[in-house]
Amino acid sequence: MLNKIKEQKGKIFISIIVISCFGLIRAFENSLFYDPFLNYFEADFNKMKLPEFDALKLFLNLLLRFVLNTALSLILIYTLFKDKGILIFSSFLYLFFSILLFVLFFVIAVYFPEKSWLLFYVRRFIIQPIFVLLFIPAFYYQLQNLKK
C-alpha cells in the first residue's frame, strides 16, 4: 500500500494542487467574478425577483469561471488517467455542456424569471466543477470494465 502511494506521488501532488485551485476559486468568487446571483441564491430566492444584471458582463464572468473550472478538471482527468482519448472525449463533453448550459441559463433568466429554482441548478453546473465529479468515476468504471 505504501509503495503504491510512493509510486503515485506525482498524481497525488498534482491532484491536491488542482483541488486546492478549485477551493481558491470558490473562496474568492465574490471578489474575482461579477455575479449578482451569488447573494440572490444565498437568500430566500423563491420569494424574490431576479436581480438586475448586465448580461454581457455576467456572461463573460460565468464563461471565465467555467473555463477555469474546465481547465482544472481536464488537468485532473489527464493526471489521473494519462489517456489522450479520455481527455479529448472530456473536452467535447465540456464543450457540448457549456453551450447547452449557457443557452439554458440566459433563456431561463430572460424568458422565465419566475423559474428561479431552475436557474439555480443550471447556474450550479456552470460555476461549480460538478462534471469532473461525474466523469472521474465514469471513466474509472469504464476502464475497469475494459480490463475484464
Side-chain angles (χ1 to χ4, degrees):
M1 172 76 170
L2 193 55
N3 287 335
K4 273 212 182 252
I5 292 174
K6 286 181 182 178
E7 290 172 9
Q8 303 296 328
K9 65 183 171 191
K11 281 185 180 182
I12 293 169
F13 179 73
I14 293 172
S15 298
I16 289 170
I17 296 293
V18 169
I19 292 168
S20 298
C21 289
F22 284 137
L24 289 171
I25 290 171
R26 174 75 175 175
F28 295 107
E29 66 188 354
N30 286 323
S31 59
L32 291 175
F33 307 106
Y34 166 77
D35 191 351
F37 292 100
L38 285 172
N39 294 329
Y40 173 75
F41 286 122
E42 288 176 2
D44 188 14
F45 63 89
N46 285 322
K47 298 175 184 171
M48 299 168 52
K49 271 183 33 179
L50 288 180
E52 294 292 321
F53 60 91
D54 178 348
L56 179 63
K57 192 174 179 181
L58 180 62
F59 171 76
L60 292 174
N61 278 268
L62 288 175
L63 183 63
L64 174 63
R65 188 163 179 182
F66 188 82
V67 167
L68 287 172
N69 284 331
T70 298
L72 290 169
S73 298
L74 292 173
I75 290 168
L76 185 60
I77 287 169
Y78 186 73
T79 298
L80 294 176
F81 297 107
K82 297 287 189 216
D83 186 325
K84 285 188 181 181
I86 288 175
L87 182 66
I88 292 169
F89 182 66
S90 299
S91 299
F92 281 119
L93 285 175
Y94 273 107
L95 179 64
F96 171 76
F97 285 123
S98 68
I99 294 168
L100 179 69
L101 288 170
F102 277 96
V103 168
L104 278 173
F105 181 85
F106 284 101
V107 166
I108 294 166
V110 173
Y111 297 108
F112 303 101
E114 71 280 356
K115 303 289 186 189
S116 58
W117 59 272
L118 189 55
L119 188 65
F120 173 81
Y121 290 110
V122 170
R123 183 180 156 279
R124 211 25 96 202
F125 275 93
I126 292 172
I127 68 168
Q128 301 298 331
I130 296 172
F131 289 122
V132 77
L133 297 175
L134 300 172
F135 293 168
I136 289 174
F139 294 143
Y140 179 77
Y141 179 77
Q142 183 68 28
L143 289 175
Q144 292 304 308
N145 277 345
L146 289 176
K147 289 181 182 177
K148 290 181 182 179

